[in-house]
Amino acid sequence: MQLTNDETGTYPVLEALEGERCSFCDRGRLVRGSYKGNAAVICDTCETPGAQLW
């Protein structure tokens, strides 16, 4: 049986976005975290999610 992303903890989309500049504010960078219980990349300054998976 192949493991899903949830089981391995890897999310290529989120990994690709990590470290990118936030598109909602001028100073933030996207960092891995969670948003409303979902795996996400969130701005370290304004806390807006750049992407989330559910």
Side-chain angles (χ1 to χ4, degrees):
M1 176 198 281
Q2 185 176 2
L3 295 176
T4 66
N5 285 344
D6 287 340
E7 293 167 328
T8 63
T10 61
Y11 301 97
V13 171
L14 299 182
E15 289 172 4
L17 292 171
E18 189 172 14
E20 294 293 318
R21 298 181 102 185
C22 176
S23 60
F24 297 98
C25 72
D26 294 333
R27 297 180 298 178
R29 295 277 179 186
L30 298 177
V31 296
R32 295 282 301 265
S34 65
Y35 182 75
K36 295 187 177 183
N38 300 321
V41 284
I42 302 165
C43 177
D44 62 358
T45 301
C46 70
E47 299 182 359
T48 302
Q52 66 174 310
L53 304 175
W54 62 94

